[in-house]
Amino acid sequence: MDHAATTPLDPEVLSEMQPYLTEHFGNASSVHALGRKARFAVEDSRERVAELLNAEPSEIVFTSGGTEADNTALKGVLHHYHQSNGERGELITSAAEHEAILEPAEALREAGWPVTVLTPDHHGAVTPEQLEEAISEETALVSLMHANNETGVMTDIPAIAEVCQSYDALLHCDAVQTAGLFEIDVKALDADLISISGHKFYGPKGVGILYVRGGVDFDPLVVGGSQERERRGGTEHVPGIVGIAEALDRAVSAAEERRERLYRLQEQLIDGIHASFNGEIVLNTPVEEAFVAPHVVNVAFPPENGSPVDGEMLLLNLDMEGVLASAGSACTSGALEPSHVLTALGLPRKTASAAVRFSMGKDTDEDDVTYAIETLDEVVSRMR
Ligand code: PLP
């Protein structure tokens, strides 16, 4: 029940990767036979990924994951803009973004860049109308996520792209939660840069993709080698690159069937939780009012409805019963701070502190969902 944090490596993906961890261990920059074997694997993977995303191979940059792709997009584009235009172009983003966006945005602000952090609407997404009010000729880059990792709420990226284009601003989209679950067609999404992470769709950890539309320049974040056409220095993670291409291919083929199944499980989970708690909870995944990703259900227990529920204790108790869920994103679940996403949606701190995110994956079934519903009911009753 925590697939938004990570997913298990598909054994078939592992078997594709395995030869590149052992016998074909060459450095893709070496000119000898072992190097050429590795280079072929990297370029073949790049072509596969490009085709799956409806992009060109030259538009694919392999990174160490979603966080590096996000940091590269923000810092890389804005530093390059500064170099070429002599001024610091504005960054617009949202308070509901992942830390991999919010922290580089903060670092840019501290270094003198104008940064605007929009408060999303109460469902959690920034609307094209909201962006229209904030954007100006000074805006160099807009960064908004495709689906929120805590609530599942989706942003209308093509409509956002239209607004950006009319102001000549670039658009970056963090699609870490949707790649592999929704087909990512870069032409349909129409963002200039898109971040993807392998471990969210049964691929390996520590490898990601930054799609960069042809003609869009950025300063590399990691320098020290001419790899990735001088856009990301460092010896290529060949097994990881082979793995992310294979995992993306498999996920894209299964995406439609998986989405349908997950939407049914999402409905079962929401109906079950409503039946147990009968109006006592706040549903932070607004399935009725917004377009949401199918794998996430986020609920909170407001202290005014029944006796208060301590969020950390709730997670620990669920864990003891074998239900592995999360409060907010995994990176912050060790801390006692309420989720920045839920507070950005206007949830009071105490309610946001008593929230739990369930996220399902390809192997979750109806029985798992039934067990999660029953366990949540039991654990909350016991705690109260
Ligand atoms: N962006 C979003 C929306 C995420 O959910 C995550 C992962 O939690 C990341 C970025 C970071 O990706 P990675 O774990 O590959 O660094």
Side-chain angles (χ1 to χ4, degrees):
M1 284 288 165
D2 202 17
H3 287 78
T6 197
T7 59
L9 182 64
D10 182 334
E12 305 276 352
V13 173
L14 174 62
S15 66
E16 290 295 315
M17 293 169 63
Q18 212 120 38
Y20 296 94
L21 287 158
T22 51
E23 61 184 303
H24 307 318
F25 64 88
N27 183 324
S29 299
S30 302
V31 292
H32 52 61
L34 264 178
R36 291 198 305 274
K37 180 85 189 165
R39 169 60 52 207
F40 180 81
V42 168
E43 297 316 320
D44 182 57
S45 302
R46 195 186 311 280
E47 279 173 29
R48 284 179 81 185
V49 167
E51 197 174 328
L52 290 163
L53 302 181
N54 191 19
E56 295 300 320
S58 59
E59 296 176 319
I60 304 301
V61 179
F62 290 113
T63 68
S64 70
T67 303
E68 187 191 318
D70 283 351
N71 271 264
T72 304
L74 266 56
K75 293 185 172 173
V77 164
L78 291 168
H79 281 271
H80 183 82
Y81 184 94
H82 185 209
Q83 289 280 323
S84 2
N85 297 286
E87 52 190 64
R88 291 186 163 87
E90 184 201 23
L91 168 68
I92 299 183
T93 186
S94 137
E97 294 293 311
H98 192 272
E99 290 84 351
I101 294 293
L102 292 178
E103 291 189 17
E106 191 47 38
L108 284 158
R109 187 207 298 279
E110 281 169 12
W113 265 266
V115 176
T116 302
V117 180
L118 300 174
T119 302
D121 71 0
H122 66 287
H123 299 319
V126 168
T127 61
E129 295 73 28
Q130 252 182 303
L131 178 62
E132 187 84 58
E133 278 179 30
I135 200 167
S136 74
E137 308 299 336
E138 322 291 290
T139 310
L141 179 68
V142 173
S143 180
L144 293 171
M145 69 207 316
H146 197 201
N148 187 278
N149 51 302
E150 294 195 33
T151 64
V153 173
M154 294 185 72
T155 308
D156 185 352
I157 296 295
I160 293 285
E162 222 175 286
V163 178
C164 292
Q165 282 157 17
S166 61
Y167 286 85
D168 251 345
L170 293 174
L171 173 62
H172 166 252
C173 175
D174 176 333
V176 168
Q177 286 296 331
T178 48
L181 199 47
F182 287 82
E183 287 99 287
I184 302 293
D185 176 330
V186 300
K187 306 229 165 33
L189 218 50
D190 215 10
D192 301 284
L193 303 107
I194 299 172
S195 300
I196 292 176
S197 173
H199 72 101
K200 306 288 182 175
F201 47 85
Y202 314 95
K205 291 174 178 61
V207 59
I209 296 163
L210 179 64
Y211 157 79
V212 186
R213 196 201 295 270
V216 171
D217 288 326
F218 66 93
D219 285 1
L221 187 73
V222 183
V223 291
S226 58
Q227 292 89 351
E228 299 297 296
R229 296 173 172 236
E230 307 205 340
R231 293 177 296 180
R232 199 272 181 182
T235 300
E236 293 91 340
H237 177 15
V238 183
I241 290 170
V242 168
I244 198 172
E246 179 68 22
L248 188 63
D249 201 340
R250 286 172 175 274
V252 167
S253 309
E256 195 175 344
E257 179 272 328
R258 279 188 196 158
R259 279 200 309 276
E260 279 173 20
R261 225 175 46 78
L262 287 167
Y263 276 124
R264 283 199 299 276
L265 294 178
Q266 186 183 51
E267 193 180 343
Q268 184 196 343
L269 183 53
I270 291 173
D271 288 351
I273 294 174
H274 274 313
S276 298
F277 297 99
N278 197 17
E280 271 180 44
I281 50 123
V282 177
L283 180 63
N284 298 313
T285 303
V287 282
E288 306 280 338
E289 299 100 38
F291 196 54
V292 300
H295 61 308
V296 179
V297 172
N298 188 314
V299 289
F301 293 84
E304 59 276 18
N305 297 351
S307 48
V309 174
D310 180 280
E312 291 288 317
M313 285 304 291
L314 175 58
L315 284 184
L316 287 173
N317 281 302
L318 287 170
D319 189 5
M320 283 194 292
E321 302 297 333
V323 178
L324 280 57
S326 160
S329 63
C331 328
T332 51
S333 61
L336 287 167
E337 274 296 292
S339 145
H340 72 271
V341 174
L342 300 182
T343 48
L345 301 192
L347 233 60
R349 285 175 69 85
K350 281 195 172 146
T351 304
S353 299
V356 51
R357 176 191 71 181
F358 298 100
S359 53
M360 302 168 290
K362 72 179 174 73
D363 299 318
T364 314
D365 63 20
E366 284 176 22
D367 292 343
D368 295 324
V369 173
T370 303
Y371 183 74
I373 296 165
E374 289 170 0
T375 309
L376 181 68
D377 191 10
E378 224 175 84
V379 161
V380 172
S381 307
R382 206 189 316 144
M383 283 171 66
R384 278 171 166 168

